Amino acid sequence: MVKERMAARGGAVLLGVLALVHVYWATGAVWPAADERGLSLAVLGSVVSFGPAVVLPLAAIEAVGAVCVGVYGWGLGPEGRMARFARLARLGAAVFAGGLLLRGAVGVVWIVAGKDGSGAVFPWLNALAYTPLCLALGWAVARELRR
């Protein structure tokens, strides 16, 4: 139980950090890449816009996910101080766990089948960071929700 709660806390923090990174990119900054094209190829494996209209909605979704997962990670759920919002938070956390597991599964397919036109960086980041993080975080949140 403690391990799952720590995983949910870590998931909430990670989603919060991702939301902040997307807000950062909405300002026009492209770190850690040299330009928007390089950032797009490294993060998504294809060339797409990283403008505010694209990344701010993602930041909002990740922030909501951080709150939903955090409700369970910090013991604010059904018996906690936020019992009134526990059902909604549980639903939100379940959607995020499912989304993360789906992204992880797609990432495994990309690893096995390869993803054409993705540049040199994305396959490595996908195999070593994105897919394992999505699978681990999705699994941890799902386990916490089963508790």
Side-chain angles (χ1 to χ4, degrees):
M1 178 161 101
V2 171
K3 189 163 89 174
E4 286 85 6
R5 187 159 282 182
M6 290 299 291
R9 288 178 187 172
V13 169
L14 181 60
L15 285 167
V17 168
L18 285 173
L20 291 174
V21 167
H22 281 92
V23 168
Y24 171 74
W25 285 336
T27 68
V30 292
W31 179 87
D35 57 20
E36 187 174 324
R37 183 178 188 283
L39 178 66
S40 180
L41 286 172
V43 173
L44 298 171
S46 57
V47 179
V48 296
S49 171
F50 268 71
V54 175
V55 294
L56 286 178
L58 291 172
I61 291 168
E62 290 160 347
V64 169
V67 170
C68 290
V69 173
V71 164
Y72 285 88
W74 275 277
L76 304 172
E79 299 85 27
R81 294 177 290 189
M82 294 187 70
R84 183 178 336 176
F85 304 105
R87 271 199 163 145
L88 185 58
R90 183 178 181 80
L91 176 62
V95 167
F96 273 90
L100 288 166
L101 291 170
L102 178 62
R103 167 52 183 92
V106 169
V108 169
V109 170
W110 286 341
I111 291 167
V112 173
K115 185 170 187 232
D116 294 337
S118 61
V121 177
F122 178 79
W124 290 103
L125 289 173
N126 180 54
L128 300 175
Y130 304 150
T131 296
L133 279 172
C134 286
L135 290 172
L137 183 55
W139 179 258
V141 172
R143 282 183 50 104
E144 174 65 16
L145 290 172
R146 289 189 60 193
R147 180 176 70 77

